[in-house]
Amino acid sequence: MNRKIQAALISVFYKEGLEPIVRQLHQDGVVIYSTGGTQIFIEELGLPCKSVESVTDYPSILGGRVKTLHPKVFGGILARRNFDEDKKHVAAFEIPLFDLVIVDLYPFEETVASTNEETRIIEKIDIGGVSLIRAAAKNHQDVCIVASRKQYPAFVQLLTKNASATSLEERRALAAEAFAECAHYDVAISNYFNQSKQILRYGENPHQSASFNGNLDDLFEKLNGKELSYNNIVDIDAACHLLAEFNETIFAIIKHTNVCGVAARDTVDASWEAALAGDPESAFGGVLVTNATINLATAQKINEIFFEVLIAPAFDNEALELLKSKKNRILLLQKKNIESTVQVKNVLNGTLQQDADNINFAEWHDVGAREATALEQADLRFANVVCKHLKSNAIVIAKNMQLIGKGCGQTSRIDALRQALEKARQFEFSLEGAVLASDAFFPFDDCVKMAKEVGITAVVQPGGSMRDNDSIEFCKANGMAMVMTKARHFKH
């Protein structure tokens, strides 16, 4: 059975979209109570509105910090309509009953993103709003709660359809949304107090404001250069996650979170030369990362190109002096490996959370014409890790622990392979004896056929296609090794 709204308490920060709601409530005979700016907004629409002060006999005090925190207000929300004892208290203390509460929260996250002035941020921690929302949501048996302007369009339709009456099912659904709104708000506040905030010059593009919440000093010592940008931090994150996968002496070059050059060699300067050779064009303006000490010989070679950031666990004094010759060049001494267990992404009107992709293969199963040789196995493991860190669809071609071709961010796997082959040819790499890694299964046998044509001898992929056997049989018939890992590595 629907419950008719007799009285509503409305106190919001954002007024956009509120007018149709208050007009519908007025049309249906609902008595509206409000505070401050919301009351002025409603009265300027020519609609009657009672002040909360007329209920509490107290004005808004402490610069607006205390407006609705009063027993008569919360009594009117929390009173249980079918409890005799509650009815006695309502009558004794002349408490008006509220059947609808429309309250939003101060823009805390927006304020954090726009300023580093703590007094302004603190003032945007809502107290009364959260309390009103939780009270109304708790008593959803009798009270309807609207806790966000995002709900306004749907709510005005509900009012119009039902002449300002709501069902228990509707009130319960709105209560669930209200509790989620409070939880998100509390997490944002907790994050602010538990992490240091750094205002960035801008976001991915100059028209986007941005900040970083975290403690970079825990991971790095900055030895030189300008302030890190949003894009720098994103690429540094990608670089450090890749680096953490290897025990060998590695050098890698990252552009827009994708690996454009990476190699493992016995020495740091040899690793740098091989990584750069993989794609010297894309290395321009990149983020460089290694797990070895930067010596003078390596620094002299690196100094010949333009790059944004160099990350290393240590720098020899002469190397550091040379690299610091350009004042904007960012040099980071990495104190420890980055570790991630959870990944979070903002999507639609919520967040997605997943475990980090911290495995490289679930099994190592030779299914081709033969077992991979020791050299092929080393290259396959190397290629599989590199492929995991590229945007899907991704293909990696590697040889002698060096990335020699890659395709990433493609809408078909065969296009990713074509891109990888074009890169390898562009820089005149021999593909004879190279290996290929795929981040997901081959839907057809076209990739292994193309790989065979250019001299690739071994392939690693997770498997799982209904047509796996087509690729397997081709490899068996053509002397190619194929390893299945049962671990897909999509990255979006």
Side-chain angles (χ1 to χ4, degrees):
M1 180 178 176
N2 285 359
R3 179 182 292 278
K4 178 74 168 66
I5 297 171
Q6 304 290 340
L9 172 60
I10 305 176
S11 181
V12 297
F13 185 87
Y14 295 105
K15 314 300 188 295
E16 298 85 354
L18 185 63
E19 180 179 349
I21 292 175
V22 294
R23 289 196 182 280
Q24 186 64 45
L25 292 171
H26 173 68
Q27 180 179 314
D28 293 330
V30 177
V31 177
I32 298 175
Y33 294 80
S34 191
T35 63
T38 308
Q39 181 181 351
I40 293 170
F41 172 82
I42 294 170
E43 290 174 342
E44 286 181 347
L45 294 175
L47 302 176
C49 180
K50 294 186 176 183
S51 68
V52 168
E53 288 91 336
S54 69
V55 174
T56 64
D57 291 327
Y58 270 91
S60 173
I61 61 173
L62 306 180
R65 280 189 165 197
V66 179
K67 295 191 287 283
T68 57
L69 294 168
H70 193 279
K72 280 194 172 183
V73 174
F74 282 87
I77 296 170
L78 287 165
R80 292 159 291 190
R81 307 319 197 243
N82 59 346
F83 272 50
D84 289 340
E85 194 68 19
D86 287 9
K87 291 178 183 178
K88 290 178 184 177
H89 288 156
V90 166
F93 296 106
E94 299 180 339
I95 298 173
L97 295 177
F98 299 112
D99 310 296
L100 168 65
V101 175
I102 302 178
V103 173
D104 60 9
L105 299 172
Y106 290 161
F108 179 80
E109 289 177 283
E110 292 87 340
T111 306
V112 170
S114 64
T115 183
N116 58 1
E117 187 180 334
E118 186 158 86
T119 54
R120 286 181 57 195
I121 293 169
I122 297 300
E123 284 307 308
K124 287 299 183 285
I125 297 176
D126 207 315
I127 304 300
V130 173
S131 302
L132 291 168
I133 290 170
R134 289 178 66 87
K138 176 178 179 176
N139 200 26
H140 66 271
Q141 187 76 26
D142 300 306
V143 180
C144 184
I145 174 64
V146 176
S148 168
R149 57 179 169 166
K150 299 190 295 286
Q151 298 171 291
Y152 289 177
F155 187 67
V156 75
Q157 291 179 10
L158 186 153
L159 294 176
T160 304
K161 180 182 70 173
N162 298 327
S164 292
T166 61
S167 68
L168 177 58
E169 182 181 11
E170 289 164 341
R171 293 194 297 276
R172 184 178 178 85
L174 287 166
E177 292 184 61
F179 282 124
E181 193 76 18
C182 289
H184 177 86
Y185 195 75
D186 286 342
V187 168
I189 295 169
S190 176
N191 287 343
Y192 171 76
F193 279 98
N194 286 290
Q195 300 184 61
S196 57
K197 178 191 172 188
Q198 179 182 346
I199 301 298
L200 305 177
R201 285 173 286 156
Y202 51 79
E204 281 188 283
N205 302 293
H207 62 276
Q208 295 171 268
S209 61
S211 63
F212 174 76
N213 292 305
N215 185 8
L216 289 174
D217 291 339
D218 188 46
L219 295 173
F220 307 104
E221 180 184 349
K222 186 177 167 192
L223 305 177
N224 190 68
K226 59 187 178 181
E227 291 301 312
L228 291 171
S229 70
Y230 179 100
N231 292 331
N232 289 156
I233 292 172
V234 171
D235 282 345
I236 289 167
D237 177 74
C240 291
H241 275 100
L242 173 66
L243 190 72
E245 301 269 13
F246 293 101
N247 294 317
E248 303 90 347
T249 300
I250 285 283
F251 224 118
I253 305 165
I254 307 295
K255 284 288 289 291
H256 301 295
T257 75
N258 286 306
V259 191
C260 61
V262 58
R265 293 290 185 268
D266 291 336
T267 64
V268 64
D269 56 329
S271 294
W272 162 249
E273 288 185 333
L276 180 63
D279 189 347
E281 279 187 349
S282 297
F284 181 86
V287 168
L288 319 181
V289 63
T290 183
N291 55 7
T293 299
I294 300 292
N295 55 33
L296 180 58
T298 307
Q300 288 171 334
K301 294 171 183 176
I302 295 172
N303 198 49
E304 295 174 359
I305 74 163
F306 168 72
F307 62 90
E308 287 274 340
V309 183
L310 170 60
I311 309 161
F315 295 80
D316 287 346
N317 290 336
E318 291 179 316
L320 185 59
E321 185 179 352
L322 173 63
L323 292 169
K324 288 172 72 173
S325 60
K326 292 184 170 57
K327 66 177 182 179
N328 286 333
R329 179 183 282 165
I330 300 168
L331 305 176
L332 299 178
L333 187 149
Q334 186 173 2
K335 300 176 183 178
K336 60 183 180 181
N337 276 345
I338 191 169
E339 296 179 0
S340 295
T341 57
V342 175
Q343 294 174 326
V344 180
K345 180 182 289 189
N346 291 327
V347 294
L348 301 176
N349 61 346
T351 58
L352 285 172
Q353 180 173 308
Q354 66 173 355
D355 294 339
D357 185 3
N358 285 333
I359 67 167
N360 292 324
F361 51 86
E363 64 176 46
W364 191 266
H365 187 40
D366 287 282
V367 297
R370 55 182 174 79
E371 287 189 4
T373 66
L375 181 59
E376 286 173 334
Q377 283 197 38
D379 280 344
L380 287 169
R381 292 173 189 272
F382 172 87
N384 189 54
V385 168
V386 174
C387 195
K388 169 182 163 182
H389 290 267
L390 293 172
K391 294 291 179 68
S392 300
N393 288 310
I395 293 286
V396 160
I397 301 173
K399 186 176 179 180
N400 298 326
M401 301 289 280
Q402 178 188 22
L403 175 64
I404 64 172
K406 60 101 175 56
C408 56
Q410 299 301 303
T411 52
S412 72
R413 197 148 303 281
I414 192 68
D415 278 347
L417 176 54
R418 290 188 184 107
Q419 185 185 57
L421 292 173
E422 178 57 33
K423 275 291 180 185
R425 291 175 181 131
Q426 179 182 356
F427 301 111
E428 300 181 350
F429 284 103
S430 169
L431 293 166
E432 290 294 332
V435 306
L436 180 152
S438 174
D439 66 335
F441 64 65
F442 297 120
F444 309 103
D445 61 4
D446 49 359
C447 285
V448 291
K449 286 180 176 177
M450 188 176 291
K452 171 63 178 176
E453 289 174 3
V454 297
I456 291 170
T457 58
V459 175
V460 60
Q461 57 129 337
S465 169
M466 294 181 65
R467 301 185 64 170
D468 273 346
N469 202 50
D470 292 353
S471 296
I472 292 170
E473 290 302 315
F474 180 85
C475 288
K476 285 181 176 179
N478 289 275
M480 295 176 69
M482 175 179 279
V483 173
M484 284 192 176
T485 65
K486 289 194 175 178
R488 191 181 72 185
H489 294 298
F490 274 166
K491 186 179 181 186
H492 296 101

